[in-house]
Short mmCIF file of all heavy atoms in Angstrom, two decimals:
data_model
loop_
_atom_site.label_atom_id
_atom_site.label_comp_id
_atom_site.label_asym_id
_atom_site.label_seq_id
_atom_site.Cartn_x
_atom_site.Cartn_y
_atom_site.Cartn_z
N LEU A 11 1.73 12.73 -8.27
CA LEU A 11 0.98 13.87 -8.81
C LEU A 11 0.48 14.86 -7.76
O LEU A 11 -0.20 15.82 -8.11
CB LEU A 11 -0.22 13.35 -9.62
CG LEU A 11 0.13 12.57 -10.88
CD1 LEU A 11 -1.14 12.14 -11.60
CD2 LEU A 11 1.02 13.38 -11.80
N ASN A 19 -6.67 11.45 -3.59
CA ASN A 19 -7.98 11.97 -3.20
C ASN A 19 -8.89 10.85 -2.70
O ASN A 19 -9.63 11.03 -1.72
CB ASN A 19 -8.62 12.72 -4.37
CG ASN A 19 -7.92 14.03 -4.67
OD1 ASN A 19 -7.36 14.66 -3.78
ND2 ASN A 19 -7.93 14.44 -5.92
N VAL A 25 -9.94 7.61 4.41
CA VAL A 25 -9.50 7.92 5.78
C VAL A 25 -10.53 8.80 6.48
O VAL A 25 -10.85 8.58 7.65
CB VAL A 25 -8.11 8.59 5.75
CG1 VAL A 25 -7.74 9.08 7.15
CG2 VAL A 25 -7.05 7.62 5.24
N SER A 30 -14.84 9.56 10.52
CA SER A 30 -16.22 9.91 10.86
C SER A 30 -16.90 8.80 11.65
O SER A 30 -17.75 9.06 12.49
CB SER A 30 -17.02 10.20 9.58
OG SER A 30 -17.26 9.02 8.83
N ILE A 67 23.90 6.99 5.33
CA ILE A 67 22.70 7.04 4.50
C ILE A 67 21.96 5.71 4.54
O ILE A 67 20.74 5.66 4.74
CB ILE A 67 23.06 7.42 3.05
CG1 ILE A 67 23.57 8.86 2.99
CG2 ILE A 67 21.85 7.26 2.13
CD1 ILE A 67 24.04 9.30 1.63
N ALA A 85 -0.94 -1.22 13.13
CA ALA A 85 -2.15 -0.81 12.43
C ALA A 85 -3.23 -1.89 12.46
O ALA A 85 -2.95 -3.08 12.29
CB ALA A 85 -1.83 -0.44 10.99
N PRO A 100 3.70 2.03 -8.28
CA PRO A 100 4.86 2.92 -8.23
C PRO A 100 6.04 2.26 -7.52
O PRO A 100 5.86 1.46 -6.59
CB PRO A 100 4.35 4.13 -7.43
CG PRO A 100 2.87 4.11 -7.62
CD PRO A 100 2.50 2.66 -7.67
N GLN A 118 6.21 -16.50 7.32
CA GLN A 118 7.16 -17.56 7.63
C GLN A 118 6.93 -18.74 6.71
O GLN A 118 5.84 -18.94 6.19
CB GLN A 118 7.04 -17.99 9.09
CG GLN A 118 5.71 -18.64 9.44
CD GLN A 118 5.61 -18.97 10.92
OE1 GLN A 118 6.52 -18.72 11.69
NE2 GLN A 118 4.47 -19.54 11.32
N THR A 120 6.69 -22.74 6.35
CA THR A 120 6.36 -23.91 7.17
C THR A 120 6.46 -25.16 6.31
O THR A 120 6.70 -25.10 5.10
CB THR A 120 4.95 -23.79 7.75
OG1 THR A 120 3.99 -24.00 6.69
CG2 THR A 120 4.70 -22.42 8.37
N GLY A 126 1.28 -16.28 6.31
CA GLY A 126 1.31 -14.87 6.66
C GLY A 126 1.14 -14.67 8.15
O GLY A 126 0.37 -15.38 8.80
N SER A 137 -7.39 2.62 -5.75
CA SER A 137 -6.73 2.36 -7.03
C SER A 137 -7.20 3.34 -8.11
O SER A 137 -8.41 3.57 -8.27
CB SER A 137 -7.04 0.92 -7.47
OG SER A 137 -6.67 0.69 -8.81
N PRO A 148 -10.63 -6.39 -22.02
CA PRO A 148 -9.59 -6.97 -22.87
C PRO A 148 -8.19 -6.88 -22.28
O PRO A 148 -7.33 -7.71 -22.58
CB PRO A 148 -9.70 -6.13 -24.16
CG PRO A 148 -11.10 -5.63 -24.17
CD PRO A 148 -11.44 -5.38 -22.73
N CYS A 157 -3.88 -6.79 -8.58
CA CYS A 157 -3.71 -8.23 -8.33
C CYS A 157 -2.42 -8.49 -7.56
O CYS A 157 -2.36 -9.38 -6.70
CB CYS A 157 -3.76 -9.03 -9.63
SG CYS A 157 -2.42 -8.69 -10.78
N GLY A 164 -2.29 -10.93 0.91
CA GLY A 164 -2.71 -12.26 1.31
C GLY A 164 -1.55 -13.13 1.74
O GLY A 164 -1.65 -13.89 2.71
N LEU A 166 1.00 -12.14 3.21
CA LEU A 166 1.40 -11.67 4.53
C LEU A 166 0.33 -11.92 5.59
O LEU A 166 0.54 -11.60 6.76
CB LEU A 166 1.73 -10.18 4.49
CG LEU A 166 2.86 -9.77 3.54
CD1 LEU A 166 3.09 -8.26 3.61
CD2 LEU A 166 4.15 -10.52 3.84
N ILE A 173 -11.09 -3.19 -2.61
CA ILE A 173 -10.54 -2.30 -3.63
C ILE A 173 -11.57 -1.23 -3.97
O ILE A 173 -12.71 -1.54 -4.34
CB ILE A 173 -10.15 -3.06 -4.89
CG1 ILE A 173 -9.04 -4.06 -4.59
CG2 ILE A 173 -9.70 -2.09 -6.00
CD1 ILE A 173 -8.70 -4.97 -5.75
N ARG A 175 -11.95 1.48 -6.68
CA ARG A 175 -11.29 1.68 -7.98
C ARG A 175 -11.93 2.81 -8.77
O ARG A 175 -13.14 2.90 -8.89
CB ARG A 175 -11.36 0.39 -8.78
CG ARG A 175 -10.79 0.47 -10.20
CD ARG A 175 -11.08 -0.78 -11.00
NE ARG A 175 -10.64 -1.99 -10.32
CZ ARG A 175 -11.47 -2.96 -9.94
NH1 ARG A 175 -12.77 -2.85 -10.16
NH2 ARG A 175 -11.00 -4.03 -9.33
N LEU A 200 -18.54 1.79 2.79
CA LEU A 200 -17.54 0.91 3.40
C LEU A 200 -17.88 0.63 4.86
O LEU A 200 -18.26 1.53 5.61
CB LEU A 200 -16.15 1.54 3.33
CG LEU A 200 -15.42 1.54 2.00
CD1 LEU A 200 -14.12 2.33 2.12
CD2 LEU A 200 -15.15 0.14 1.50
#
Side-chain angles (χ1 to χ4, degrees):
L11 295 181
N19 289 330
V25 172
S30 70
I67 293 176
Q118 65 184 359
T120 72
S137 168
C157 65
L166 300 181
I173 297 173
R175 177 188 306 118
L200 284 175

